[in-house]
Amino acid sequence: MGRTVVAANWKMHKTAGEARTYVEKLLELVPSRLEFELIVFPSATALYVVAQVLRGSPIAWGAQNAHWETQGAYTGEISVNQVADLGAAYVLCGHSERRHLFGEDDATVAAKVRSVLAGGLVPVLCVGETLEQRRGGDAWDVVTAQLSAALKDIGPDAADRLVVAYEPVWAIGTGVAAQPEDAQSMAHDIRSWLTELFGSEGAEIPVQYGGSVKPNNADAFLQLPDVDGALVGGASLDPKEFWTIACSAVPR
Ligand code: 13P
C-alpha cells in the first residue's frame, strides 16, 4: 500500500490565536500513531504557533506558498528556508487560486517545485482543469501540461518527495465535488503518467483529490483505488469536521 496524505488547506482563514485553538483541538482527536500523513496548511502568520503546538506530534504542517528564491528583495514574499525553519515539511505549489487569482504560470510553479525540493521539503503540486476545459474535452491535456511543466526537470530521485493533488477548479469551494469515478479515472491516469516519467517510484507518489470534500462524501473519494488522500479547503476549517474526513482514509 502506498502513502495516504490528508491535508487541510485553511487558505486565508484564522488568526494565530484561532490557529492555536484549532490545532490544540485537533491534537485531542488524533491518536498518537497515524496510519496516514495528516497535514495542516495555515497562513504564514500562524505557522509559528502551529509549530509550537504540533512539534513532536503525528501531525505535520506546511506553507500554502513560498517564493522560488532563497532570499532577496522580494517584498511580501516568504522563502522555503523561512518556512523550513518553522518546521514546515510541505509547501503547496500551483494551487488553482495561485494560478488563477495571482497569475502564477507554469514556469513559476516549476521554479517553486524546484526550490521546495532543493530546500528539503515536499511540494504538494496541485493540478486541475476549469469547467470550460472539461466541457471542451481538454481536462487530460490541461492536467498533463501542468504536470509536465512542473516536473520535467525533476530527477527520479525526488519522486519519493512529491505529492500531487488533483483539484478540478470547478469543484473548489463550490460544494459540487467531482464524481468519484471521474476522480478515480483522473488519479489513475496521473499515476500512469508519473510512472512513465519516474519509473516504479512514480507509481508510489500519492495522488490526492481536492474540491468540495466533506464528511459526507469523504469515503467515496478516499476509498478509491487510485486516490491516496484529500486536500480539503472549507471543510477543514473545523477540526472535528477535518478529522471526520481524515478517518475515511483508514484502510478497510
Ligand atoms: P474546498 O474543499 O473548499 O472545495 O477547497 C479545496 C481546495 O482548494 C483545497 O486546496
Side-chain angles (χ1 to χ4, degrees):
M1 251 236 19
R3 291 155 60 205
T4 300
V5 183
V6 181
N9 175 9
W10 296 351
K11 310 192 177 182
M12 199 172 71
H13 293 281
K14 299 191 188 299
T15 62
E18 289 162 350
R20 173 186 286 281
T21 306
Y22 178 110
V23 283
E24 284 172 351
K25 279 197 189 143
L26 185 60
L27 262 187
E28 285 171 17
L29 299 169
V30 171
S32 53
R33 282 180 76 90
L34 276 174
E35 294 174 73
F36 50 86
E37 292 166 54
L38 192 65
I39 314 167
V40 290
F41 287 97
S43 297
T45 48
L47 275 174
Y48 182 80
V49 70
V50 163
Q52 277 186 320
V53 176
L54 294 185
R55 214 176 287 279
S57 84
I59 308 170
W61 58 99
Q64 295 175 18
N65 185 30
H67 197 264
W68 60 87
E69 293 290 351
T70 49
Q71 58 181 359
Y74 301 103
T75 302
E77 291 291 329
I78 54 172
S79 71
V80 173
N81 291 351
Q82 289 170 326
V83 298
D85 180 54
L86 295 176
Y90 301 83
V91 180
L92 294 181
C93 295
H95 190 279
S96 78
E97 286 148 18
R98 302 291 323 163
R99 292 180 193 263
H100 296 282
L101 303 175
F102 301 100
E104 279 193 16
D105 60 12
D106 280 339
T108 307
V109 176
K112 289 185 173 189
V113 167
R114 281 196 301 272
S115 84
V116 171
L117 286 169
L121 277 65
V122 174
V124 177
L125 171 64
C126 305
V127 296
E129 80 288 353
T130 63
L131 191 54
E132 206 181 5
Q133 290 163 335
R134 173 158 283 262
R135 286 190 175 145
D138 297 328
W140 177 239
D141 287 349
V142 169
V143 166
T144 42
Q146 290 171 342
L147 288 170
S148 169
L151 300 178
K152 67 178 180 342
D153 298 329
I154 305 297
D157 49 320
D160 62 347
R161 292 193 292 122
L162 279 176
V163 175
V164 171
Y166 169 58
E167 296 207 304
V169 178
W170 45 272
I172 295 177
T174 59
V176 182
Q179 292 300 316
E181 50 273 27
D182 291 337
Q184 162 58 26
S185 143
M186 189 60 95
H188 177 270
D189 291 350
I190 290 173
R191 186 178 316 288
S192 305
W193 190 93
L194 292 168
T195 309
E196 214 160 284
L197 183 70
F198 293 122
S200 58
E201 299 264 302
E204 303 296 318
I205 296 173
V207 181
Q208 300 176 299
Y209 167 76
S212 297
V213 176
K214 310 285 176 200
N216 65 7
N217 64 14
D219 256 3
F221 291 108
L222 288 165
Q223 295 294 321
L224 292 168
D226 280 294
V227 170
D228 308 312
L231 182 54
V232 189
S236 78
L237 293 173
D238 176 80
K240 260 200 192 139
E241 214 172 321
F242 178 52
W243 178 241
T244 304
I245 291 171
C247 287
S248 294
V250 175
R252 317 256 162 92

